[in-house]
Amino acid sequence: MVLSHLDNLSNEEWLAAFVSQWHLLADLSFSDLLLWLPNESGEVFECTAQIRPVTGPTALEDDVIGETIMHEPDHAVTVAFMTGQITETSDNELYAGIPVDVWAVPIMRGGVCVAVLERHTNVMGLRALGAMEENYMEAAGVLTSMLLEGQFPLVSTMDKALAPKVGDGVIRVQPDGLISYASPNAITAYRRLGAMGDIEGEDFGDLTRGLRHGVETMGQTMLSDVRQQRAAVFDVEQQRASMRFVLLPLVVGSISVGMLVLCRDTTDLRRRDRMLVTKDATIREIHHRIKNNLQTVAALLRMQSRRMKSEEGRDALRDAMRRVSSIAVVHDTLSHTVEEDVEFDAVCDRILRMVGDLAASSGVVRAKRVGSFGVVPSATATSLAMMITELCQNAIEHGLQSSSGSLEVRPSLSSESLVVDVVDDGAGLPEGFDIGRQDSLGLAIIATLVEDLGGSVELQQRDDGEGTRARLVLPRSD
């Protein structure tokens, strides 16, 4: 009954899969659970995991993770590990004045004990036995025996955000497919899906399949999974309600004793997911429309520049068009992702193509990026795009003097900052150049944006004397 792909896991992965599901055993048995792992020699056991029950009071007030047990012949954990049998301590042992029953259960795999599960039950907190308590304890007993036979855990992975817990809803299904018990929460969830009356005594497969009226999605093999007692996960989604099911076969030896079904009303979660999807789509559409509007503005500036008779006026409009286009590139990138961060390498590459086309009035500009920007927050991306645009434009117009040459943008990342060098092989800076005394609009824009981001910018002659290097330093935010 165990899903076959669990057999391929290492012991460490297999135990991790067990710990991801042992909340079932804790809640069904109303017990605290401790996982003890032996060292290589088997002489020391260390507690590597601990869980408390949601269904009852804890038996262990303190965290035990990290504590060790020496190989003591009479200790329950040692006995369970050596014999491969469940070991129980004396009844009602006192822990901080609370009577607690303790069991040590060997966790077997392939006939070998790989760890020991210690179960602590607060006897004082146990409720009077009713239908729910009896069914829970019976299911816990079956899971414990399956643990002894290496048949638990049952599934290796599950979406933790939607995974049902015992408190969400429990259904016991007998080998003939009939429901022998359903917890109050499970009954409520079924009624929300449209089931009428008491579901106990109903055929689980037929009852669940009968909810298909108005169902948007359901696992196609659900009935087969139920009939063949296979572990499975499936969803029932309607317009008014949705529910997730986890089918867990219960086996004693090689004999099926039915299934434990966990169910969770996921209506609110699904509705929230749909709202988030709608919100993400809306944000992407807004970025797309902003990009379109900016491209329209750039096109209008281009048209206006062609009608200008003044060369100075045409240059000013082309510069404005270039700046607007660089902002449009960022919004275009954001329109294709749901993330709030931007993979900036693609943005930089598009800016380099655009700047080279617009700025070089003659000759060929070979512009390229060397290195990676990584991920840039969307709040920073627009300013960074404009600064790189201005630095590249400045390098082409003044360094290369609008002629042929090469231009490189060299980003580098550290834990504290993003450093961007814009390097050209042009004529270099004029003698006595001082960035603070320049009246260039482009440099003024850069200075303003850098100040807003808490960074710095400098222009200097390259070390080899062949051109100019502009260095932009921006702090990285967590």
XYZ file of all heavy atoms in Angstrom, residues 74-77 86-95 100-104 118-120:
183
model
N 18.511 -0.670 29.946
C 17.140 -0.712 30.445
C 16.277 0.429 29.923
O 15.071 0.454 30.211
C 17.136 -0.679 31.977
C 17.813 -1.912 32.581
O 17.791 -2.969 31.895
O 18.354 -1.802 33.691
N 16.885 1.368 29.184
C 16.100 2.503 28.692
C 15.168 2.042 27.574
O 15.550 1.242 26.709
C 17.009 3.607 28.192
C 16.310 4.932 28.050
N 15.410 5.203 27.039
C 16.383 6.065 28.817
C 14.965 6.444 27.188
N 15.529 6.972 28.251
N 13.929 2.552 27.575
C 12.924 2.109 26.600
C 13.381 2.328 25.165
O 13.147 1.491 24.289
C 11.605 2.836 26.852
N 14.048 3.473 24.913
C 14.517 3.755 23.553
C 15.550 2.728 23.117
O 15.508 2.209 21.988
C 15.092 5.187 23.468
C 15.765 5.422 22.117
C 13.988 6.220 23.687
N 7.906 -2.743 20.307
C 7.420 -1.609 21.090
C 7.718 -1.856 22.563
O 7.471 -2.950 23.087
C 5.912 -1.400 20.880
C 5.619 -1.026 19.426
C 5.380 -0.313 21.811
C 4.148 -0.868 19.114
N 8.252 -0.825 23.221
C 8.582 -0.922 24.641
C 7.793 0.126 25.402
O 7.780 1.299 25.033
C 10.089 -0.694 24.867
O 10.833 -1.623 24.078
C 10.440 -0.879 26.327
N 7.138 -0.326 26.467
C 6.322 0.587 27.276
C 6.909 0.693 28.664
O 7.317 -0.302 29.263
C 4.890 0.077 27.348
C 3.948 1.004 28.095
C 2.507 0.503 28.083
O 2.259 -0.537 27.432
O 1.664 1.144 28.731
N 6.996 1.926 29.173
C 7.484 2.133 30.532
C 6.357 1.851 31.502
O 5.219 1.568 31.127
C 7.991 3.567 30.724
O 6.903 4.476 30.524
C 9.100 3.884 29.737
N 6.659 1.984 32.780
C 5.633 1.757 33.797
C 4.493 2.739 33.623
O 4.686 3.881 33.213
C 6.251 1.921 35.191
O 6.815 3.204 35.329
N 3.303 2.297 33.904
C 2.123 3.137 33.715
C 2.189 4.385 34.583
O 2.677 4.373 35.717
C 0.854 2.350 34.067
C 0.598 1.231 33.066
O 1.155 1.315 31.949
O -0.126 0.287 33.416
N 1.647 5.465 34.005
C 1.469 6.717 34.737
C 2.756 7.222 35.386
O 2.778 7.632 36.552
C 0.385 6.575 35.809
C -0.980 6.289 35.191
O -1.202 6.567 34.013
N -1.870 5.711 35.994
N 3.852 7.197 34.646
C 5.082 7.785 35.140
C 4.897 9.288 35.265
O 4.281 9.920 34.407
C 6.224 7.470 34.163
C 7.577 7.926 34.656
C 8.685 7.423 33.758
O 8.426 6.513 32.947
O 9.806 7.937 33.879
N 5.426 9.866 36.319
C 5.203 11.283 36.585
C 6.247 12.146 35.876
O 7.447 11.903 35.998
C 5.228 11.555 38.086
C 4.086 10.942 38.917
C 4.268 11.287 40.383
C 2.730 11.428 38.404
N 5.767 13.159 35.122
C 6.614 14.169 34.506
C 6.116 15.523 34.991
O 5.013 15.935 34.632
C 6.517 14.101 32.970
C 7.283 12.947 32.368
C 6.778 11.658 32.417
C 8.499 13.167 31.752
C 7.475 10.608 31.861
C 9.211 12.117 31.186
C 8.689 10.834 31.247
O 9.380 9.792 30.696
N 2.062 10.351 32.963
C 2.293 10.227 31.528
C 2.607 8.781 31.187
O 3.445 8.143 31.848
C 3.461 11.132 31.082
C 3.771 10.920 29.604
C 3.136 12.601 31.348
N 1.947 8.259 30.148
C 2.294 6.954 29.608
C 3.304 7.150 28.489
O 3.162 8.058 27.657
C 1.054 6.244 29.044
C 0.161 5.699 30.155
O 0.650 5.577 31.289
O -1.017 5.395 29.877
N 4.342 6.309 28.470
C 5.417 6.457 27.493
C 5.624 5.144 26.763
O 5.725 4.081 27.375
C 6.739 6.888 28.176
C 7.830 7.093 27.124
C 6.537 8.160 28.993
N 5.672 5.241 25.425
C 5.985 4.095 24.577
C 7.172 4.449 23.687
O 7.283 5.589 23.212
C 4.812 3.722 23.661
C 3.602 3.218 24.353
C 3.265 1.920 24.613
C 2.515 3.998 24.878
N 2.060 1.839 25.263
C 1.570 3.117 25.439
C 2.266 5.376 24.943
C 0.398 3.543 26.037
C 1.102 5.799 25.542
C 0.178 4.902 26.067
N 8.036 3.494 23.452
C 9.132 3.641 22.485
C 8.842 2.698 21.329
O 8.724 1.475 21.516
C 10.478 3.311 23.127
N 9.402 8.014 20.271
C 8.947 7.953 21.661
C 7.650 8.721 21.787
O 7.562 9.876 21.359
C 10.017 8.532 22.592
C 9.794 8.147 24.046
C 10.947 8.599 24.930
O 11.607 9.607 24.586
O 11.189 7.963 25.961
N 6.640 8.047 22.341
C 5.301 8.626 22.435
C 4.956 8.872 23.899
O 5.025 7.968 24.731
C 4.291 7.659 21.818
C 2.973 8.305 21.457
C 2.090 7.294 20.731
N 1.118 6.694 21.615
C 0.285 5.723 21.257
N 0.350 5.226 20.039
N -0.578 5.238 22.108
N 4.584 10.137 24.199
C 4.230 10.530 25.561
C 2.767 10.977 25.577
O 2.394 11.904 24.861
C 5.112 11.689 26.046
C 6.565 11.340 26.153
N 7.216 11.250 27.352
C 7.491 11.054 25.200
C 8.492 10.939 27.143
N 8.678 10.815 25.838
